[in-house]
Amino acid sequence: MNIYYCLCGEFLLILDVKIDRLPRRQTDGAFILNTKKRTYKLNTVFSKKVVVKRTPEEGNTDKKVGFEAQNRHCCPKCGLFVCYDQKGVFSYILDGSLIKK
């Protein structure tokens, strides 16, 4: 098991593989966590729901402007934005938001 912490030192994630082994999202470089296939424990708090505008330059493969809803999750101790989901089987962990001690 691999244990990851927030930059403030708070425990945030236990994962069955190293995080750098997860696939990455083209739009923002976030790590894609398939919650149906991976064994994990995520220790975050819901922050807010936002709508993000995606453009073709950000890897949007539709070649047009699109929008996506994100349910953002933060560190329970310091409030750092660390991951988001979109009400599906995937969670997206922001690159650089977690450290391994």
Side-chain angles (χ1 to χ4, degrees):
M1 289 302 205
N2 298 279
I3 303 171
Y4 296 92
Y5 299 85
C6 179
L7 302 176
C8 73
E10 181 74 7
F11 150 75
L12 289 183
L13 175 67
I14 297 176
L15 187 59
D16 62 344
V17 296
K18 290 185 177 181
I19 198 166
D20 59 354
R21 305 274 305 193
L22 295 176
R24 293 187 148 216
R25 196 162 186 225
Q26 285 186 332
T27 54
D28 57 9
F31 295 101
I32 303 168
L33 176 62
N34 184 330
T35 60
K36 297 278 188 194
K37 293 185 178 181
R38 299 265 55 108
T39 301
Y40 73 100
K41 168 65 176 154
L42 193 58
N43 177 38
T44 60
V45 293
F46 176 76
S47 172
K48 60 185 171 182
K49 185 172 188 167
V50 297
V51 176
V52 178
K53 183 179 181 180
R54 295 288 188 200
T55 62
E57 295 81 36
E58 294 177 306
N60 183 356
T61 56
D62 293 338
K63 305 287 188 223
K64 58 185 176 183
V65 174
F67 297 91
E68 70 179 33
Q70 295 181 353
N71 300 303
R72 294 189 169 184
H73 299 267
C74 297
C75 171
K77 184 176 178 183
C78 71
L80 178 70
F81 170 40
V82 293
C83 66
Y84 61 92
D85 64 57
Q86 297 172 324
K87 294 290 184 196
V89 286
F90 301 107
S91 287
Y92 304 95
I93 303 166
L94 299 180
D95 187 23
S97 64
L98 302 176
I99 57 174
K100 187 171 176 77
K101 288 188 177 179

